Amino acid sequence: MAEQAILIDPSKSSARNLAFLKAGAPITIDISTPAGQKRKFNTFFIGYLPKKYVLIEFPEATKLGNFSQYIGQGTVITVRGLIEGRDGAAVAFISTVRQTLQIPSRIMVLDIPTSVKLQQLRSSVRIETRISAKVRIDDVYWQTTMTNISVDGGQLDIINGEKLVLAEDKVVDIVVETSEGENNLKLNAIVCNIKQQVDGLSFGVKFNQVSKQQVIELLYQALV
């Protein structure tokens, strides 16, 4: 996540901005290994006790894999989440694991962060994602992954894209299927910044007549 356009509520201490995250809110966490490897995982915010600690759920064990061995006392974790009902804003903070619990469920106990940042989702801010979608190009649908997104556009990767002929300024349709299979999110966009990759194609898109609410819904889906 970009670190510009940070908005801190002047009426509250920085740590109290945690109140914008509601219990059960989906979040992402960044974990680094001693060797410098970094991974992002989806999980949920449980709550916090002012001036004492923050509680979050462990990500699913099947997704953590070997990274579970690096989560323990002293591990530094970056936490990010979206704030519901705040006109598209994100909250982010860095904290340290104080201890881990196994009962009543697997929980991380984090120290209260010294700084909690609020960030408006403006056009200049891009959020890293791993959103599976389909992009329609000349009436052919290609499986794609949206690797980042902003209010105005995003970045898409297509594996085996060497078979795809794509030009800048081409109009495409992006479809993100919901878990229920209904009310799919559909975005119309213009292609820009095409880059050939070893295993496919990467390109940017600029959304056409997209509402901020659609992008916010897309980001929530990415976190859940």
Side-chain angles (χ1 to χ4, degrees):
M1 182 184 293
E3 293 299 335
Q4 67 266 34
I6 298 297
L7 302 180
I8 300 297
D9 189 334
S11 66
K12 303 178 184 293
S13 66
S14 181
R16 285 191 61 193
N17 285 319
L18 279 171
F20 289 119
L21 274 179
K22 303 302 181 183
I27 57 175
T28 61
I29 61 173
D30 292 4
I31 301 173
S32 298
T33 71
Q37 293 178 297
K38 296 182 180 181
R39 286 280 301 277
K40 295 179 183 292
F41 300 97
N42 294 345
T43 185
F44 295 92
F45 182 78
I46 297 175
Y48 76 104
L49 191 60
K51 300 182 180 181
K52 292 195 175 181
Y53 51 77
V54 175
L55 301 177
I56 64 174
E57 283 191 4
F58 263 82
E60 294 179 15
T62 55
K63 295 181 179 179
L64 267 178
N66 291 335
F67 266 74
S68 61
Q69 65 183 303
Y70 301 114
I71 301 178
Q73 186 176 14
T75 301
V76 176
I77 292 180
T78 300
V79 179
R80 297 184 177 93
L82 296 177
I83 302 172
E84 190 173 0
R86 196 177 167 85
D87 192 29
V91 62
F93 62 88
I94 298 174
S95 185
T96 303
V97 176
R98 179 184 295 185
Q99 68 180 100
T100 60
L101 304 176
Q102 303 296 322
I103 298 175
S105 61
R106 298 193 71 199
I107 296 173
M108 296 184 209
V109 182
L110 309 181
D111 289 327
I112 284 288
T114 57
S115 176
V116 180
K117 300 176 181 178
L118 300 182
Q119 185 175 46
Q120 293 289 353
L121 299 182
R122 299 198 244 181
S123 60
S124 60
V125 177
R126 287 188 175 270
I127 308 298
E128 294 184 12
T129 61
R130 295 293 298 175
I131 301 173
S132 295
K134 294 180 180 179
V135 56
R136 187 174 67 130
I137 304 170
D138 293 331
D139 295 325
V140 177
Y141 282 92
W142 296 78
Q143 192 66 39
T144 184
T145 300
M146 300 186 71
T147 57
N148 66 52
I149 189 173
S150 72
V151 172
D152 287 343
Q155 188 78 19
L156 278 67
D157 287 351
I158 296 178
I159 304 300
N160 296 326
E162 69 277 359
K163 300 177 183 178
L164 172 62
V165 177
L166 194 60
E168 293 193 8
D169 297 327
K170 192 175 190 66
V171 177
V172 298
D173 293 314
I174 302 166
V175 179
V176 181
E177 297 179 350
T178 62
S179 57
E180 295 83 9
E182 300 178 355
N183 301 319
N184 293 338
L185 291 171
K186 299 179 181 179
L187 307 171
N188 185 258
I190 297 175
V191 173
C192 57
N193 300 325
I194 303 170
K195 296 180 181 178
Q196 292 289 339
Q197 305 288 347
V198 174
D199 57 354
L201 192 68
S202 178
F203 58 95
V205 293
K206 182 178 180 181
F207 298 137
N208 289 326
Q209 299 178 340
V210 66
S211 71
K212 178 184 283 190
Q213 188 57 39
Q214 282 180 287
V215 177
I216 294 171
E217 289 177 12
L218 194 56
L219 288 168
Y220 270 114
Q221 181 169 326
L223 287 176
V224 173

PDB file of all heavy atoms in Angstrom, residues 10-40:
ATOM      1  N   PRO A  10      -7.618  14.448  13.769  1.00  0.00           N
ATOM      2  CA  PRO A  10      -6.998  15.311  14.775  1.00  0.00           C
ATOM      3  C   PRO A  10      -7.715  15.300  16.110  1.00  0.00           C
ATOM      4  O   PRO A  10      -7.173  15.728  17.112  1.00  0.00           O
ATOM      5  CB  PRO A  10      -7.056  16.697  14.125  1.00  0.00           C
ATOM      6  CG  PRO A  10      -8.234  16.623  13.210  1.00  0.00           C
ATOM      7  CD  PRO A  10      -8.239  15.220  12.682  1.00  0.00           C
ATOM      8  N   SER A  11      -8.946  14.796  16.149  1.00  0.00           N
ATOM      9  CA  SER A  11      -9.707  14.805  17.392  1.00  0.00           C
ATOM     10  C   SER A  11      -9.426  13.571  18.247  1.00  0.00           C
ATOM     11  O   SER A  11      -9.924  13.447  19.344  1.00  0.00           O
ATOM     12  CB  SER A  11     -11.208  14.875  17.092  1.00  0.00           C
ATOM     13  OG  SER A  11     -11.646  13.697  16.448  1.00  0.00           O
ATOM     14  N   LYS A  12      -8.633  12.623  17.723  1.00  0.00           N
ATOM     15  CA  LYS A  12      -8.370  11.389  18.444  1.00  0.00           C
ATOM     16  C   LYS A  12      -6.878  11.134  18.501  1.00  0.00           C
ATOM     17  O   LYS A  12      -6.134  11.558  17.639  1.00  0.00           O
ATOM     18  CB  LYS A  12      -9.050  10.200  17.742  1.00  0.00           C
ATOM     19  CG  LYS A  12     -10.550  10.353  17.560  1.00  0.00           C
ATOM     20  CD  LYS A  12     -11.093   9.150  16.812  1.00  0.00           C
ATOM     21  CE  LYS A  12     -12.583   9.318  16.518  1.00  0.00           C
ATOM     22  NZ  LYS A  12     -13.382   9.302  17.715  1.00  0.00           N
ATOM     23  N   SER A  13      -6.449  10.424  19.542  1.00  0.00           N
ATOM     24  CA  SER A  13      -5.069   9.975  19.537  1.00  0.00           C
ATOM     25  C   SER A  13      -4.916   8.949  18.432  1.00  0.00           C
ATOM     26  O   SER A  13      -5.874   8.291  18.050  1.00  0.00           O
ATOM     27  CB  SER A  13      -4.717   9.349  20.888  1.00  0.00           C
ATOM     28  OG  SER A  13      -5.461   8.164  21.092  1.00  0.00           O
ATOM     29  N   SER A  14      -3.704   8.777  17.927  1.00  0.00           N
ATOM     30  CA  SER A  14      -3.492   7.891  16.787  1.00  0.00           C
ATOM     31  C   SER A  14      -3.996   6.485  17.070  1.00  0.00           C
ATOM     32  O   SER A  14      -4.645   5.869  16.238  1.00  0.00           O
ATOM     33  CB  SER A  14      -2.012   7.863  16.420  1.00  0.00           C
ATOM     34  OG  SER A  14      -1.785   7.034  15.327  1.00  0.00           O
ATOM     35  N   ALA A  15      -3.674   5.955  18.263  1.00  0.00           N
ATOM     36  CA  ALA A  15      -4.065   4.586  18.580  1.00  0.00           C
ATOM     37  C   ALA A  15      -5.577   4.417  18.601  1.00  0.00           C
ATOM     38  O   ALA A  15      -6.096   3.348  18.274  1.00  0.00           O
ATOM     39  CB  ALA A  15      -3.470   4.167  19.915  1.00  0.00           C
ATOM     40  N   ARG A  16      -6.322   5.470  18.951  1.00  0.00           N
ATOM     41  CA  ARG A  16      -7.778   5.346  19.021  1.00  0.00           C
ATOM     42  C   ARG A  16      -8.411   5.241  17.641  1.00  0.00           C
ATOM     43  O   ARG A  16      -9.596   4.929  17.526  1.00  0.00           O
ATOM     44  CB  ARG A  16      -8.369   6.527  19.793  1.00  0.00           C
ATOM     45  CG  ARG A  16      -8.153   6.445  21.292  1.00  0.00           C
ATOM     46  CD  ARG A  16      -8.975   7.476  22.023  1.00  0.00           C
ATOM     47  NE  ARG A  16     -10.395   7.295  21.802  1.00  0.00           N
ATOM     48  CZ  ARG A  16     -11.321   8.213  22.125  1.00  0.00           C
ATOM     49  NH1 ARG A  16     -10.942   9.358  22.661  1.00  0.00           N
ATOM     50  NH2 ARG A  16     -12.587   7.989  21.907  1.00  0.00           N
ATOM     51  N   ASN A  17      -7.637   5.473  16.583  1.00  0.00           N
ATOM     52  CA  ASN A  17      -8.171   5.244  15.240  1.00  0.00           C
ATOM     53  C   ASN A  17      -8.470   3.770  15.010  1.00  0.00           C
ATOM     54  O   ASN A  17      -9.120   3.406  14.031  1.00  0.00           O
ATOM     55  CB  ASN A  17      -7.185   5.746  14.181  1.00  0.00           C
ATOM     56  CG  ASN A  17      -7.199   7.261  14.091  1.00  0.00           C
ATOM     57  OD1 ASN A  17      -8.240   7.893  14.153  1.00  0.00           O
ATOM     58  ND2 ASN A  17      -6.028   7.850  13.951  1.00  0.00           N
ATOM     59  N   LEU A  18      -8.002   2.911  15.908  1.00  0.00           N
ATOM     60  CA  LEU A  18      -8.367   1.495  15.844  1.00  0.00           C
ATOM     61  C   LEU A  18      -9.873   1.300  15.941  1.00  0.00           C
ATOM     62  O   LEU A  18     -10.413   0.301  15.476  1.00  0.00           O
ATOM     63  CB  LEU A  18      -7.690   0.730  16.984  1.00  0.00           C
ATOM     64  CG  LEU A  18      -6.230   0.316  16.790  1.00  0.00           C
ATOM     65  CD1 LEU A  18      -5.679  -0.230  18.089  1.00  0.00           C
ATOM     66  CD2 LEU A  18      -6.099  -0.699  15.678  1.00  0.00           C
ATOM     67  N   ALA A  19     -10.566   2.257  16.549  1.00  0.00           N
ATOM     68  CA  ALA A  19     -12.014   2.138  16.730  1.00  0.00           C
ATOM     69  C   ALA A  19     -12.753   2.070  15.402  1.00  0.00           C
ATOM     70  O   ALA A  19     -13.896   1.617  15.350  1.00  0.00           O
ATOM     71  CB  ALA A  19     -12.533   3.308  17.566  1.00  0.00           C
ATOM     72  N   PHE A  20     -12.109   2.531  14.320  1.00  0.00           N
ATOM     73  CA  PHE A  20     -12.758   2.467  13.016  1.00  0.00           C
ATOM     74  C   PHE A  20     -12.850   1.040  12.499  1.00  0.00           C
ATOM     75  O   PHE A  20     -13.659   0.739  11.627  1.00  0.00           O
ATOM     76  CB  PHE A  20     -12.011   3.338  11.996  1.00  0.00           C
ATOM     77  CG  PHE A  20     -12.170   4.807  12.245  1.00  0.00           C
ATOM     78  CD1 PHE A  20     -11.070   5.602  12.521  1.00  0.00           C
ATOM     79  CD2 PHE A  20     -13.421   5.412  12.212  1.00  0.00           C
ATOM     80  CE1 PHE A  20     -11.208   6.956  12.748  1.00  0.00           C
ATOM     81  CE2 PHE A  20     -13.577   6.760  12.445  1.00  0.00           C
ATOM     82  CZ  PHE A  20     -12.465   7.542  12.711  1.00  0.00           C
ATOM     83  N   LEU A  21     -11.983   0.145  13.001  1.00  0.00           N
ATOM     84  CA  LEU A  21     -12.049  -1.269  12.623  1.00  0.00           C
ATOM     85  C   LEU A  21     -13.051  -1.967  13.543  1.00  0.00           C
ATOM     86  O   LEU A  21     -12.887  -1.974  14.750  1.00  0.00           O
ATOM     87  CB  LEU A  21     -10.680  -1.935  12.752  1.00  0.00           C
ATOM     88  CG  LEU A  21      -9.721  -1.841  11.564  1.00  0.00           C
ATOM     89  CD1 LEU A  21      -8.416  -2.537  11.907  1.00  0.00           C
ATOM     90  CD2 LEU A  21     -10.332  -2.435  10.310  1.00  0.00           C
ATOM     91  N   LYS A  22     -14.060  -2.570  12.949  1.00  0.00           N
ATOM     92  CA  LYS A  22     -15.084  -3.239  13.737  1.00  0.00           C
ATOM     93  C   LYS A  22     -14.735  -4.715  13.940  1.00  0.00           C
ATOM     94  O   LYS A  22     -14.039  -5.319  13.143  1.00  0.00           O
ATOM     95  CB  LYS A  22     -16.445  -3.132  13.035  1.00  0.00           C
ATOM     96  CG  LYS A  22     -16.873  -1.697  12.754  1.00  0.00           C
ATOM     97  CD  LYS A  22     -16.944  -0.865  14.026  1.00  0.00           C
ATOM     98  CE  LYS A  22     -17.400   0.556  13.741  1.00  0.00           C
ATOM     99  NZ  LYS A  22     -17.393   1.400  14.970  1.00  0.00           N
ATOM    100  N   ALA A  23     -15.231  -5.288  15.021  1.00  0.00           N
ATOM    101  CA  ALA A  23     -15.011  -6.703  15.301  1.00  0.00           C
ATOM    102  C   ALA A  23     -15.519  -7.545  14.135  1.00  0.00           C
ATOM    103  O   ALA A  23     -16.631  -7.347  13.655  1.00  0.00           O
ATOM    104  CB  ALA A  23     -15.722  -7.099  16.592  1.00  0.00           C
ATOM    105  N   GLY A  24     -14.695  -8.462  13.678  1.00  0.00           N
ATOM    106  CA  GLY A  24     -15.070  -9.316  12.559  1.00  0.00           C
ATOM    107  C   GLY A  24     -14.708  -8.751  11.203  1.00  0.00           C
ATOM    108  O   GLY A  24     -14.951  -9.406  10.183  1.00  0.00           O
ATOM    109  N   ALA A  25     -14.111  -7.553  11.167  1.00  0.00           N
ATOM    110  CA  ALA A  25     -13.758  -6.936   9.884  1.00  0.00           C
ATOM    111  C   ALA A  25     -12.633  -7.720   9.214  1.00  0.00           C
ATOM    112  O   ALA A  25     -11.670  -8.121   9.874  1.00  0.00           O
ATOM    113  CB  ALA A  25     -13.321  -5.492  10.094  1.00  0.00           C
ATOM    114  N   PRO A  26     -12.729  -7.952   7.907  1.00  0.00           N
ATOM    115  CA  PRO A  26     -11.637  -8.632   7.206  1.00  0.00           C
ATOM    116  C   PRO A  26     -10.409  -7.733   7.124  1.00  0.00           C
ATOM    117  O   PRO A  26     -10.522  -6.527   6.912  1.00  0.00           O
ATOM    118  CB  PRO A  26     -12.224  -8.902   5.815  1.00  0.00           C
ATOM    119  CG  PRO A  26     -13.294  -7.875   5.641  1.00  0.00           C
ATOM    120  CD  PRO A  26     -13.849  -7.632   7.007  1.00  0.00           C
ATOM    121  N   ILE A  27      -9.234  -8.316   7.303  1.00  0.00           N
ATOM    122  CA  ILE A  27      -7.979  -7.568   7.242  1.00  0.00           C
ATOM    123  C   ILE A  27      -6.954  -8.391   6.486  1.00  0.00           C
ATOM    124  O   ILE A  27      -7.135  -9.592   6.267  1.00  0.00           O
ATOM    125  CB  ILE A  27      -7.429  -7.241   8.646  1.00  0.00           C
ATOM    126  CG1 ILE A  27      -7.233  -8.533   9.462  1.00  0.00           C
ATOM    127  CG2 ILE A  27      -8.329  -6.251   9.379  1.00  0.00           C
ATOM    128  CD1 ILE A  27      -6.586  -8.323  10.817  1.00  0.00           C
ATOM    129  N   THR A  28      -5.867  -7.746   6.079  1.00  0.00           N
ATOM    130  CA  THR A  28      -4.709  -8.459   5.562  1.00  0.00           C
ATOM    131  C   THR A  28      -3.537  -8.187   6.503  1.00  0.00           C
ATOM    132  O   THR A  28      -3.448  -7.115   7.102  1.00  0.00           O
ATOM    133  CB  THR A  28      -4.330  -8.007   4.140  1.00  0.00           C
ATOM    134  OG1 THR A  28      -3.991  -6.617   4.153  1.00  0.00           O
ATOM    135  CG2 THR A  28      -5.473  -8.257   3.183  1.00  0.00           C
ATOM    136  N   ILE A  29      -2.647  -9.169   6.618  1.00  0.00           N
ATOM    137  CA  ILE A  29      -1.448  -8.983   7.429  1.00  0.00           C
ATOM    138  C   ILE A  29      -0.221  -9.315   6.585  1.00  0.00           C
ATOM    139  O   ILE A  29      -0.260 -10.208   5.740  1.00  0.00           O
ATOM    140  CB  ILE A  29      -1.465  -9.847   8.714  1.00  0.00           C
ATOM    141  CG1 ILE A  29      -1.534 -11.339   8.378  1.00  0.00           C
ATOM    142  CG2 ILE A  29      -2.627  -9.450   9.608  1.00  0.00           C
ATOM    143  CD1 ILE A  29      -1.390 -12.244   9.588  1.00  0.00           C
ATOM    144  N   ASP A  30       0.841  -8.565   6.781  1.00  0.00           N
ATOM    145  CA  ASP A  30       2.119  -8.804   6.115  1.00  0.00           C
ATOM    146  C   ASP A  30       3.089  -9.406   7.133  1.00  0.00           C
ATOM    147  O   ASP A  30       3.242  -8.860   8.232  1.00  0.00           O
ATOM    148  CB  ASP A  30       2.728  -7.508   5.586  1.00  0.00           C
ATOM    149  CG  ASP A  30       1.920  -6.910   4.447  1.00  0.00           C
ATOM    150  OD1 ASP A  30       0.855  -7.467   4.121  1.00  0.00           O
ATOM    151  OD2 ASP A  30       2.352  -5.889   3.885  1.00  0.00           O
ATOM    152  N   ILE A  31       3.734 -10.501   6.758  1.00  0.00           N
ATOM    153  CA  ILE A  31       4.703 -11.156   7.624  1.00  0.00           C
ATOM    154  C   ILE A  31       6.007 -11.329   6.860  1.00  0.00           C
ATOM    155  O   ILE A  31       6.005 -11.716   5.685  1.00  0.00           O
ATOM    156  CB  ILE A  31       4.199 -12.536   8.089  1.00  0.00           C
ATOM    157  CG1 ILE A  31       2.871 -12.397   8.843  1.00  0.00           C
ATOM    158  CG2 ILE A  31       5.227 -13.225   8.984  1.00  0.00           C
ATOM    159  CD1 ILE A  31       2.236 -13.721   9.192  1.00  0.00           C
ATOM    160  N   SER A  32       7.119 -11.048   7.516  1.00  0.00           N
ATOM    161  CA  SER A  32       8.438 -11.231   6.915  1.00  0.00           C
ATOM    162  C   SER A  32       9.218 -12.274   7.701  1.00  0.00           C
ATOM    163  O   SER A  32       9.137 -12.329   8.933  1.00  0.00           O
ATOM    164  CB  SER A  32       9.224  -9.910   6.908  1.00  0.00           C
ATOM    165  OG  SER A  32       8.573  -8.935   6.123  1.00  0.00           O
ATOM    166  N   THR A  33       9.966 -13.115   6.998  1.00  0.00           N
ATOM    167  CA  THR A  33      10.808 -14.111   7.656  1.00  0.00           C
ATOM    168  C   THR A  33      12.172 -13.493   7.957  1.00  0.00           C
ATOM    169  O   THR A  33      12.523 -12.446   7.395  1.00  0.00           O
ATOM    170  CB  THR A  33      11.011 -15.340   6.760  1.00  0.00           C
ATOM    171  OG1 THR A  33      11.862 -14.973   5.655  1.00  0.00           O
ATOM    172  CG2 THR A  33       9.692 -15.858   6.230  1.00  0.00           C
ATOM    173  N   PRO A  34      12.967 -14.118   8.827  1.00  0.00           N
ATOM    174  CA  PRO A  34      14.316 -13.602   9.102  1.00  0.00           C
ATOM    175  C   PRO A  34      15.182 -13.524   7.846  1.00  0.00           C
ATOM    176  O   PRO A  34      16.107 -12.719   7.770  1.00  0.00           O
ATOM    177  CB  PRO A  34      14.882 -14.622  10.101  1.00  0.00           C
ATOM    178  CG  PRO A  34      13.679 -15.186  10.783  1.00  0.00           C
ATOM    179  CD  PRO A  34      12.620 -15.236   9.726  1.00  0.00           C
ATOM    180  N   ALA A  35      14.845 -14.345   6.829  1.00  0.00           N
ATOM    181  CA  ALA A  35      15.607 -14.331   5.581  1.00  0.00           C
ATOM    182  C   ALA A  35      15.126 -13.253   4.603  1.00  0.00           C
ATOM    183  O   ALA A  35      15.680 -13.116   3.520  1.00  0.00           O
ATOM    184  CB  ALA A  35      15.529 -15.699   4.910  1.00  0.00           C
ATOM    185  N   GLY A  36      14.076 -12.528   4.996  1.00  0.00           N
ATOM    186  CA  GLY A  36      13.600 -11.440   4.156  1.00  0.00           C
ATOM    187  C   GLY A  36      12.447 -11.795   3.243  1.00  0.00           C
ATOM    188  O   GLY A  36      11.998 -10.951   2.451  1.00  0.00           O
ATOM    189  N   GLN A  37      11.923 -13.027   3.314  1.00  0.00           N
ATOM    190  CA  GLN A  37      10.753 -13.392   2.524  1.00  0.00           C
ATOM    191  C   GLN A  37       9.512 -12.707   3.104  1.00  0.00           C
ATOM    192  O   GLN A  37       9.355 -12.609   4.318  1.00  0.00           O
ATOM    193  CB  GLN A  37      10.543 -14.902   2.534  1.00  0.00           C
ATOM    194  CG  GLN A  37      11.618 -15.691   1.824  1.00  0.00           C
ATOM    195  CD  GLN A  37      11.361 -17.177   1.933  1.00  0.00           C
ATOM    196  OE1 GLN A  37      11.358 -17.743   3.040  1.00  0.00           O
ATOM    197  NE2 GLN A  37      11.143 -17.825   0.810  1.00  0.00           N
ATOM    198  N   LYS A  38       8.620 -12.246   2.209  1.00  0.00           N
ATOM    199  CA  LYS A  38       7.411 -11.560   2.648  1.00  0.00           C
ATOM    200  C   LYS A  38       6.181 -12.227   2.049  1.00  0.00           C
ATOM    201  O   LYS A  38       6.187 -12.627   0.899  1.00  0.00           O
ATOM    202  CB  LYS A  38       7.450 -10.083   2.236  1.00  0.00           C
ATOM    203  CG  LYS A  38       8.562  -9.275   2.897  1.00  0.00           C
ATOM    204  CD  LYS A  38       8.500  -7.819   2.459  1.00  0.00           C
ATOM    205  CE  LYS A  38       9.606  -7.008   3.126  1.00  0.00           C
ATOM    206  NZ  LYS A  38       9.562  -5.580   2.729  1.00  0.00           N
ATOM    207  N   ARG A  39       5.145 -12.329   2.865  1.00  0.00           N
ATOM    208  CA  ARG A  39       3.875 -12.886   2.395  1.00  0.00           C
ATOM    209  C   ARG A  39       2.720 -12.114   3.012  1.00  0.00           C
ATOM    210  O   ARG A  39       2.819 -11.577   4.119  1.00  0.00           O
ATOM    211  CB  ARG A  39       3.758 -14.352   2.791  1.00  0.00           C
ATOM    212  CG  ARG A  39       4.618 -15.314   1.993  1.00  0.00           C
ATOM    213  CD  ARG A  39       4.015 -15.657   0.637  1.00  0.00           C
ATOM    214  NE  ARG A  39       2.700 -16.258   0.794  1.00  0.00           N
ATOM    215  CZ  ARG A  39       2.498 -17.548   1.064  1.00  0.00           C
ATOM    216  NH1 ARG A  39       3.536 -18.370   1.232  1.00  0.00           N
ATOM    217  NH2 ARG A  39       1.273 -18.030   1.170  1.00  0.00           N
ATOM    218  N   LYS A  40       1.603 -12.075   2.271  1.00  0.00           N
ATOM    219  CA  LYS A  40       0.374 -11.456   2.759  1.00  0.00           C
ATOM    220  C   LYS A  40      -0.652 -12.552   2.998  1.00  0.00           C
ATOM    221  O   LYS A  40      -0.745 -13.512   2.238  1.00  0.00           O
ATOM    222  CB  LYS A  40      -0.169 -10.459   1.734  1.00  0.00           C
ATOM    223  CG  LYS A  40       0.721  -9.258   1.471  1.00  0.00           C
ATOM    224  CD  LYS A  40       0.083  -8.350   0.417  1.00  0.00           C
ATOM    225  CE  LYS A  40       1.003  -7.188   0.096  1.00  0.00           C
ATOM    226  NZ  LYS A  40       1.133  -6.268   1.234  1.00  0.00           N
TER     227      LYS A  40
END
